[in-house]
Amino acid sequence: MTALFLDLDGTLLEIAATPETVVVPPALPVLLDHLRALLGGALAIVSGRSIVTIDQLLKPFKSAAAGEHGVGLRFDDGTTEEMPAGLAVPEAWRDSLRTLAERWPGILIEPKQHGCAVHYRLAPERHDDVWKAVRALVPDDHPLFRLIPAREAVEIGPRATSKGFAVERLMAGSPFRGRRPIFVGDDFTDEAGMSAARRFGGEGLRVAEMFKGDPALVRGWLANNAERLGGRPLPQRMSAGASA
């Protein structure tokens, strides 16, 4: 039996100019709910967004989930876990980043409960400036926080967790335990989740390689293979062209 771990932005949803302008296809929550039922609950959304935001975007669908790259976890039975509990980016750092956004048009700050992301998609020429600024706040050897590269963005988040950690925690319990995990993702942060899935005998599918970088093909693959995903493990390697 299969377990599905799905990234959100860039995997199920097309990347938008800003986090707030992302578009959720109306059929997606229905598709995810169908897949979750076929998998007996063994479907999790694993995202850099918070679990609250995941639920808002995919409403009324709700499942096991990992938010902020594994800092927040919700299990299939609805219980939640925060790891490490209470750790959050200092307010002084947030103030510093907000000052940058005021100084540099096009820089957007996405505050999160535990971390903070800086988006420069609308001002790509500020790439070096943004990275210099966040490195000044979070050196490589900082004991509690790390810099997380993303698509035309960089995030400050707790060092103790990752999407790989989220997969491991969810795979330890019902209904994921003993299943073959498939992790689908598009970004640097998804690599840890893919590696964890492989350690459990599963697959890590990169959107760029398997689905031509197109979330619509990911959604099509999920819809076209729903019964297979719910009924038996997938082959070791798959062709997006054949299955999307």
Side-chain angles (χ1 to χ4, degrees), residues 151-230:
R151 285 193 184 185
E152 295 176 293
V154 57
E155 182 170 342
I156 302 173
R159 181 177 293 279
T161 60
S162 69
K163 290 186 178 182
F165 166 82
V167 170
E168 291 171 356
R169 288 291 296 121
L170 290 169
M171 286 293 293
S174 178
F176 296 90
R177 185 190 295 115
R179 291 176 179 251
R180 182 170 182 266
I182 307 294
F183 192 110
V184 188
D186 73 301
D187 210 342
F188 168 81
T189 60
D190 298 311
E191 293 295 329
M194 294 179 198
S195 295
R198 295 185 188 108
R199 289 195 295 274
F200 282 95
E203 274 292 309
L205 306 183
R206 298 184 181 94
V207 176
E209 295 176 2
M210 304 299 294
F211 304 99
K212 303 177 183 178
D214 187 351
L217 291 181
V218 178
R219 297 191 298 268
W221 174 74
L222 291 171
N224 294 337
N225 289 280
E227 301 300 327
R228 293 178 64 212
L229 289 165

Side-chain angles (χ1 to χ4, degrees), residues 2 9 12 20 51 55 61 72 100 105 118 138 165 174-175 182 188 192 200 220 232-233 240:
T2 301
D9 296 274
L12 292 177
E20 294 78 16
I51 292 177
D55 289 346
F61 172 74
L100 293 184
V118 185
V138 190
F165 166 82
S174 178
I182 307 294
F188 168 81
F200 282 95
R232 66 176 188 270

Side-chain angles (χ1 to χ4, degrees), residues 6-213:
L6 304 172
D7 174 48
L8 196 56
D9 296 274
T11 298
L12 292 177
L13 304 177
E14 283 76 9
I15 295 290
T18 67
E20 294 78 16
T21 56
V22 70
V23 175
V24 179
L28 180 59
V30 177
L31 170 61
L32 293 174
D33 197 54
H34 178 56
L35 278 165
R36 183 181 179 278
L38 287 173
L39 292 166
L43 184 155
I45 304 299
V46 184
S47 174
R49 293 186 187 252
S50 69
I51 292 177
V52 170
T53 302
I54 292 170
D55 289 346
Q56 290 172 343
L57 288 171
L58 298 178
K59 188 177 179 179
F61 172 74
K62 187 176 285 189
S63 70
E68 292 195 50
H69 311 288
V71 178
L73 289 174
R74 180 173 64 211
F75 298 90
D76 182 63
D77 63 2
T79 59
T80 60
E81 180 177 287
E82 181 186 340
M83 185 69 186
L87 182 64
V89 167
E91 195 60 35
W93 291 6
R94 298 179 191 271
D95 290 340
S96 177
L97 296 175
R98 283 190 286 262
T99 299
L100 293 184
E102 293 171 359
R103 188 192 315 161
W104 297 333
I107 301 300
L108 301 176
I109 307 302
E110 181 187 3
K112 302 183 181 184
Q113 182 178 356
H114 302 274
C116 191
V118 185
H119 296 264
Y120 49 87
R121 179 168 290 108
L122 300 179
E125 71 280 3
R126 290 294 184 184
H127 172 281
D128 291 347
D129 294 327
V130 167
W131 274 92
K132 182 178 179 180
V134 294
R135 282 196 179 104
L137 296 174
V138 190
D140 290 341
D141 60 352
H142 195 284
L144 299 179
F145 294 95
R146 62 180 175 130
L147 298 182
I148 306 170
R151 285 193 184 185
E152 295 176 293
V154 57
E155 182 170 342
I156 302 173
R159 181 177 293 279
T161 60
S162 69
K163 290 186 178 182
F165 166 82
V167 170
E168 291 171 356
R169 288 291 296 121
L170 290 169
M171 286 293 293
S174 178
F176 296 90
R177 185 190 295 115
R179 291 176 179 251
R180 182 170 182 266
I182 307 294
F183 192 110
V184 188
D186 73 301
D187 210 342
F188 168 81
T189 60
D190 298 311
E191 293 295 329
M194 294 179 198
S195 295
R198 295 185 188 108
R199 289 195 295 274
F200 282 95
E203 274 292 309
L205 306 183
R206 298 184 181 94
V207 176
E209 295 176 2
M210 304 299 294
F211 304 99
K212 303 177 183 178

